Amino acid sequence: PGLTVLLSDDRYVPSDSDQSNYHQSRALFTALNLSADQVLRIRTELPLPQATMDSEGRLTQLLAGGRGITLGLLGLGADGHTASLFSAADLERARGRLALSVHRPDGRDAVSVTPTVLERVEQLIFLVAGSDKHIALDALLRHQPGLTAWQAVRGCRDVEVWADAAALMA
């Protein structure tokens, strides 16, 4: 029933903050003429534990009955993270969950989807830009087991990487 957009993660900041992925994406949602019901954002107006539980519940509803996610777009951090999954410890805590609260290396909190959700994406695309991503991109392309991003998507059926020239060059 129409397009639904879900954010893979967001910093635990007000939804109108320049640091919010939701806020940064609003122009796109407006251009697509999406209603608020069509965007599954992290509800950062709730206390962090409730925001995480709310995301878990809404993801459960979205995926009920075997429904998949047609397309997923992920970024890749220079440190090898994706979504707000930064470490092996985050991945371990994500087992059996659809949403997870994370304390980011920059000191902020965030809520992220888990590899269980990413595995439901039919076509997953990493969009990678910038020369600072070269080492992480190389590790992702080589499927290096120590890279958090690779561990997060290794169970996915179809993963593509779209990278700009700067990310590909040393």
Side-chain angles (χ1 to χ4, degrees):
L3 177 66
T4 300
V5 175
L6 73 96
L7 297 176
S8 64
D9 67 311
D10 208 347
R11 292 167 194 89
Y12 189 68
V13 296
S15 63
D16 60 354
S17 166
D18 288 342
Q19 294 297 308
S20 165
N21 292 338
Y22 171 73
H23 179 72
Q24 293 176 19
S25 303
R26 289 190 68 188
L28 173 63
F29 304 150
T30 300
L32 293 172
N33 200 29
L34 297 176
S35 70
D37 291 342
Q38 290 177 278
V39 179
L40 273 65
R41 67 176 183 84
I42 310 301
R43 294 184 178 157
T44 56
E45 65 273 14
L46 299 172
L48 183 59
Q50 283 83 359
T52 304
M53 288 174 46
D54 177 73
S55 292
E56 177 97 16
R58 290 186 299 133
L59 287 166
T60 298
Q61 281 185 318
L62 178 72
L63 299 173
R67 183 173 174 195
I69 302 167
T70 306
L71 176 65
L73 303 176
L74 288 174
L76 177 68
D79 61 358
H81 84 276
T82 194
S84 280
L85 302 169
F86 288 89
S87 67
D90 292 339
L91 295 171
E92 182 62 34
R93 288 187 316 107
R95 291 181 193 262
R97 312 237 2 239
L98 300 178
L100 177 74
S101 63
V102 177
H103 191 68
R104 298 165 41 100
D106 65 6
R108 294 185 184 268
D109 291 316
V111 177
S112 180
V113 299
T114 67
T116 301
V117 174
L118 298 177
E119 289 170 6
R120 299 286 294 272
V121 177
E122 293 173 28
Q123 174 69 53
L124 189 62
I125 300 171
F126 276 94
L127 301 174
V128 185
S131 60
D132 63 328
K133 311 281 179 76
H134 175 72
I135 293 170
L137 175 60
D138 184 62
L140 179 65
L141 294 172
R142 294 176 187 274
H143 300 175
Q144 289 187 351
L147 187 76
T148 302
W150 170 246
Q151 289 299 317
V153 302
R154 69 180 181 169
C156 298
R157 48 189 144 181
D158 192 3
V159 178
E160 290 185 25
V161 176
W162 298 0
D164 72 356
L168 291 168
M169 304 173 97

